[in-house]
Amino acid sequence: LLSVVTTMLDMAKIEAGRYELLAEPFHISEAVEACRAMLDHSAREKGVTLTARTNRNLAEVVADRRALQQVLINLAGNAIKFTPAGGVVSIDATVVAGKLVITVSDTGIGIAADKLATIGQPFTQIENDLSRQYEGTGLGLVISQELATKFSGTLSADAPLTGGASFTLSLPVAP
């Protein structure tokens, strides 16, 4: 219940233009590891392997650590939720063409190609026979998308025909 209230409050702040970002320098590997550590227990309880890999040469980033970690938690939490036992969820971070690229991918139930366009709409969850059993507010991806925009970045989704899904957060690297 507390996470639902927090999610609703975050969404209200974003909609009102009152969600303030506090930029600070930090190593992205710390944020990725904090997310992994926070979600590792729930992943193991479900029988899902959660991995985190960051490029060793990543420099410090200047961003709002709490907001970036919230995005990672939203993405990885969803991936764990929609991945059955025996599956894998990976959080990967690297720099590509001057952008910090963080990808959360899973071997879960996937997303139908015709449903990709509805991702990020408030209070919307992708429904099919497999996903209908999962609960949530339908705001995690909306908040993640809004925060990516506040970071001057993008959040994109991909669902390969072979199954699973991946969400990629791309952020400019600060000078």
Side-chain angles (χ1 to χ4, degrees):
L1 180 62
L2 180 60
S3 67
V4 171
V5 171
T6 302
T7 299
M8 297 293 287
L9 288 173
D10 283 347
M11 191 65 212
K13 287 179 189 175
I14 288 170
E15 286 181 340
R18 301 188 67 137
Y19 193 104
E20 294 184 26
L21 297 177
L22 174 63
E24 63 179 319
F26 63 96
H27 288 278
I28 193 62
S29 59
E30 295 169 2
V32 169
E33 178 54 28
C35 174
R36 190 210 56 77
M38 178 181 267
L39 297 174
D40 189 58
H41 179 72
S42 62
R44 281 188 289 124
E45 272 190 335
K46 192 171 178 197
V48 172
T49 301
L50 177 59
T51 66
R53 300 174 292 216
T54 56
N55 186 319
R56 292 181 186 261
N57 300 326
L58 289 179
E60 282 189 333
V61 295
V62 177
D64 185 309
R65 181 192 304 244
R66 185 191 76 78
L68 184 58
Q69 283 182 196
Q70 183 62 52
V71 171
L72 295 177
I73 290 165
N74 288 347
L75 297 177
N78 278 350
I80 292 166
K81 183 191 321 186
F82 294 107
T83 300
V88 177
V89 172
S90 300
I91 307 168
D92 299 296
T94 192
V95 173
V96 177
K99 295 209 178 271
L100 172 63
V101 178
I102 304 170
T103 302
V104 177
S105 56
D106 64 64
T107 59
I109 62 174
I111 304 167
D114 63 328
K115 300 292 186 185
L116 282 173
T118 64
I119 290 175
Q121 293 178 4
F123 304 106
T124 300
Q125 289 187 320
I126 311 284
E127 294 287 337
N128 66 31
D129 291 339
L130 292 173
S131 67
R132 200 167 283 132
Q133 63 189 313
Y134 301 101
E135 294 187 22
T137 62
L139 291 176
L141 289 176
V142 175
I143 290 171
S144 297
Q145 202 165 40
E146 291 294 326
L147 290 176
T149 301
K150 283 190 166 289
F151 293 141
S152 299
T154 60
L155 180 63
S156 60
D158 184 39
L161 295 175
T162 57
S166 65
F167 287 83
T168 302
L169 176 64
S170 182
L171 305 171
V173 176

